Amino acid sequence: MAESMKGLKRSHRCGELSAANVGENVTIMGWVQKNRNKGGLVFVDVRDRSGLIQVVFEEGSTDAALIEKAAKLRAEYVVAIVGKVAKRSGAVNENLSTGDIEVIPSELRVLSEAETPPFPIEENSKTKEEIRLKYRYLDLRRPDMQKNLLLRSRVATLTRQFLAEEGFLEIETPILGKSTPEGARDYLVPSRVHPGNFYGLPQSPQLFKQLLMCSGCDRYFQIAKCFRDEDLRADRQPEFTQIDMELSFVDVDDVIDVNERLLAKLFKDVLDVEVPLPIPRMTWQEAMDRYGSDKPDTRFGMELTDVTEVVKDSEFVVFKGAIENGGTVRGINAKGQGEMPRKKIDKLVSFAKDYGAKGLAYIAIQNDGTVKSSFAKFMTEEEMQALIAAMGGESGDLLLFAADKNKVVWDVLGNLRLELAKQMDLLRKDEYKFLWITEFPLLEWSEEQNRYVAMHHPFTMPMEEDLPYLESEPGRVRAKAYDITLNGNEIGGGSVRIFQDDVQERMFAALGFSKEEAYDRFGFLLDAFKYGVPPHAGLAYGLDRMVMLMAKEDSIRDVIAFPKVKDASCLMTEAPNVVDEKQLEELGLALGEGEEESAE
Amino acid sequence: MAESMKGLKRSHRCGELSAANVGENVTIMGWVQKNRNKGGLVFVDVRDRSGLIQVVFEEGSTDAALIEKAAKLRAEYVVAIVGKVAKRSGAVNENLSTGDIEVIPSELRVLSEAETPPFPIEENSKTKEEIRLKYRYLDLRRPDMQKNLLLRSRVATLTRQFLAEEGFLEIETPILGKSTPEGARDYLVPSRVHPGNFYGLPQSPQLFKQLLMCSGCDRYFQIAKCFRDEDLRADRQPEFTQIDMELSFVDVDDVIDVNERLLAKLFKDVLDVEVPLPIPRMTWQEAMDRYGSDKPDTRFGMELTDVTEVVKDSEFVVFKGAIENGGTVRGINAKGQGEMPRKKIDKLVSFAKDYGAKGLAYIAIQNDGTVKSSFAKFMTEEEMQALIAAMGGESGDLLLFAADKNKVVWDVLGNLRLELAKQMDLLRKDEYKFLWITEFPLLEWSEEQNRYVAMHHPFTMPMEEDLPYLESEPGRVRAKAYDITLNGNEIGGGSVRIFQDDVQERMFAALGFSKEEAYDRFGFLLDAFKYGVPPHAGLAYGLDRMVMLMAKEDSIRDVIAFPKVKDASCLMTEAPNVVDEKQLEELGLALGEGEEESAE
């Protein structure tokens, strides 16, 4: 029973009306949010992207047939209303930008009727996420989701505008690319023209953007879709979006400069938050030592203290053993948590074990200064006092210690620090602390692959002063790599790239690739490097995560219009799905054993 | 032997320098374009994205070691040069923006050496396209390709800026979507988590953008990657880019209005071309009748004339037979081509046959007024004179006629018209003639599928006055669809969408889909339509083709950074390629018979 909008033209969005429009004839169109029938009066709230407006159908000022029609409106009907804006006769609604006005209608058309939606269209929905995602088109009607979509769009627009003004060219790189076995798993696309061959969906436009620098494009950017066929976590999606950029004839400082100004602009224009520049920088080593993390949340302190020297002569076997094995003992001081109940401390111990600790030693200094400790009996009184002093322990403090290889100690205490901050309510969502992390290790040892792997990627430039150690001590070589972190999240990262073919070959050798393997994978890049390459560097942001933090959401799914769930499926469209056998035949493919009844 | 750029910072791009900089110390970085050694002087042209600058190494003003170093530079070396800008001592080069200045160097660093490239880096390359594409990173260094990349980037930036100002939100829709069998062939992506299931890469974001309208997003746009696994032609790529938009609470005129202003802005800002608004509109029927094409090139006339009435009583069996079979006889008048040699006319006849004509009848009016004709002997003198008069034939004109079903006649004469325009040199690349085509047929009969298929897509709104014929005479129903054409190319198209579930169901029925089939394919859209849908409409441009026309190129490959060739492969990366068997196993896939040695 849809009526046509023929002859009507929307004059305003609902939320665009204000007291300034009083007396004007307007035509609004939108969804019925609420419809109240009160003593012959019908109040209809009409909603669109911009907000709500109240329409009042009243005997005397409105035709009786229209009132009757209005009384039958139900939530989510789509209506067009022609009427006159008036000062609100009833009480002003302070919570609404249009709260002091209303529309007195002269025409009402029902453009579309609606069944009762499976959940109410309102802010802060308590509906299960599965239901929200199945009916995403309804979920996106909710004002908080509308706000998120708007925010994301603003971020994209401002980013593009800023980068265009800075001389970046927006250049699209292919989605149907070449599959490379290095790194995470590619999504593959079978080729019909070349049966048995596959395209790979890009995990990033890395190689293409470096080639664009070889092409003399000077400055490139793209807001690029990237793909990884990995098991999903809360903040992972099979497809995700990067703000991707690359610059020629630059070094670390140039990249940092342009990106600091970009971030400051985004946060100022979108959130009205001032980002003090320059953003602080910290080396990877310092970040690990102080925070146990390469993306430290610096909204609070509770830094790690290395107490190896202090406890190295104690008889406590946990400390002693760790140190003898080349490890360290480090602690954090949870201020004011000294009287934490034993059960809660036990939970922290088990939390620590989840991150690989064999245990967690503690000293709980009661408010009266007495000390409870899991390991006091193995220490002398002097050792205990020295340890407490080293930790800056005072009455009411809880000191927690991990002893193991550095990697484990950092991981345990870094995460424990965050867990305690949550418990102690130290994390404010409206505080934004940026931090650059620099001088990452170039390589890290992979037990699984029994070789060094690139910490960023194989094209990252080693620091010049560490180049001599690339063969002799690969583990100590630092990279010209940098991450930008925000409140304990890595929101972007990049590096200066290798642009010399001899260095690139040494890097591949350090990764254990033979010359043939390297050529097989990245031959076209190595070829390109023969014909004159500018020094270049770049950076990429995870747009989803950045927008999530700006929107103060906990999940990137809340800032993606049509996200997938944990099993990489879309609850709304039910993708992926089964396709016709004919389609597979055309691709020269068969389903493997057990995938279908008729499989050979 | 790469030197480091440490301590140097580029002060200008080469082409940014001008006489205003004379006397300034500058640091430029770029590629050696040319290196001439002339009587102790070394002239080095340095190139970057912005242009060229001449650097002069001269005894007296330059250190001898530096001159020696400069003399060894070869084409495509990457250099950094510090020096002072001076008025050019030699002849001014009028062809160069920096032609009246030069740089007197004080420092030269070779940042990267280069082998001799496989083809010269210069404008209007005559190199075979296969070689250009294999070394695309070098091809893109050529100034004409740099210009194309810049132009495309400008178009994207301006489009986004304009649409953002018009209240459009940029929203990303999924690349990993649901495969639907309707329309062209989808690229498929096997799912690892759900073996035997596949994602489909989107042929357009059509369903998602309609869902966004259901979500109340009001105005959406995206510069979106789309995919079609079809055999390629000159202007087709497996992945292509659309400027995609959708608007709520609008009708045809609103969509046309915003798009006319967008086009006018793009052509003014990028090409300094004024597009007179409003852009003319023509119904599909009129376009076919006058030009034999739904994308007529209106840079020239040579319109079709329907002479069925004039010849209906003649004894010429070709005309007579066509008319008796329900067809028509139409002609075009190639002015001034009356004395075309017989051989050339024969070629036109065979051209017409390629487009399905059984033949091509002609009347060649010589300059002296005598008439040569392939069919004069079947006509009376009066009939011939009436026919010539109907065609506006004068001395020196060539009249060409096709007689067949309308579809064939239009196709033959529409293409013949273009062919003659090329031969007669009537097509100016710097003239831009836009035209809207409206009121397309909703459906067209597919002989292959033995059913009606949607001419645009199944969600296109029929014109209200034709709705009653949707079941009784589907072929006569016109759609609220529109294409925007430029110089004989469709650069964009769209429609008002069906937003009533009853009309949508009738449309699916007209397409021969059962309710189950329709639900299987588009169920989530039909579900969404139950909860209140705004009237909405949209449009999408083929960005590649639009930019190609703006850049005056003949192939979209020249405006895509990394295009694929006819067999959908990339000559540079050699994608698609063979992948590890392990990867296929993880996907639950096997290669079909004959695809590999070990296939079962």
Side-chain angles (χ1 to χ4, degrees), chain A residues 124-261:
Chain A
N124 302 318
S125 176
K126 293 203 177 59
T127 308
K128 266 176 61 181
E129 197 185 15
E130 288 69 38
I131 304 293
R132 286 176 49 206
L133 290 177
K134 178 169 163 54
Y135 299 95
R136 188 61 158 183
Y137 41 88
L138 297 178
D139 188 42
L140 291 178
R141 280 188 197 167
R142 298 189 306 101
D144 33 358
M145 293 306 286
Q146 294 262 313
K147 254 178 258 164
N148 290 352
L149 290 181
L150 184 65
L151 189 149
R152 186 181 179 120
S153 176
R154 284 268 294 154
V155 169
T157 301
L158 289 167
T159 300
R160 298 183 197 276
Q161 183 192 323
F162 176 85
L163 292 176
E165 281 164 11
E166 293 282 330
F168 288 78
L169 299 189
E170 181 182 349
I171 300 176
E172 297 169 60
T173 55
I175 299 288
L176 294 172
K178 185 180 181 172
S179 177
T180 53
E182 178 77 345
R185 203 183 282 111
D186 286 332
Y187 277 104
L188 298 180
V189 181
S191 160
R192 179 178 54 85
V193 186
H194 307 277
N197 288 257
F198 294 80
Y199 303 96
L201 301 184
Q203 298 185 24
S204 88
Q206 185 62 36
L207 294 172
F208 287 106
K209 68 178 178 173
Q210 292 196 243
L211 289 171
L212 285 171
M213 296 303 103
C214 294
S215 302
C217 290
D218 206 291
R219 294 188 164 200
Y220 140 94
F221 90 96
Q222 187 180 197
I223 299 190
K225 271 287 173 76
C226 305
F227 306 83
R228 255 181 231 166
D229 187 10
E230 294 294 329
D231 298 322
L232 305 188
R233 300 188 310 230
D235 58 348
R236 281 258 182 99
Q237 285 279 314
E239 60 184 290
F240 54 99
T241 306
Q242 284 187 352
I243 302 174
D244 191 46
M245 67 180 78
E246 193 81 9
L247 303 80
S248 288
F249 302 114
V250 295
D251 209 331
V252 177
D253 285 348
D254 305 282
V255 179
I256 284 186
D257 166 63
V258 74
N259 279 284
E260 289 191 346
R261 289 184 292 112

Side-chain angles (χ1 to χ4, degrees), chain B residues 341-392:
Chain B
R342 178 62 194 265
K343 270 195 177 163
K344 236 175 130 185
I345 295 182
D346 287 346
K347 272 194 186 157
L348 292 180
V349 175
S350 109
F351 179 91
K353 285 181 177 167
D354 288 347
Y355 285 92
K358 292 185 200 77
L360 190 67
Y362 68 86
I363 303 174
I365 313 175
Q366 308 298 298
N367 290 341
D368 64 6
T370 60
V371 161
K372 293 183 183 174
S373 170
S374 57
F375 60 97
K377 54 184 166 191
F378 305 111
M379 309 275 283
T380 66
E381 179 61 24
E382 291 71 34
E383 283 170 345
M384 279 301 271
Q385 286 312 320
L387 184 54
I388 291 172
M391 294 296 298

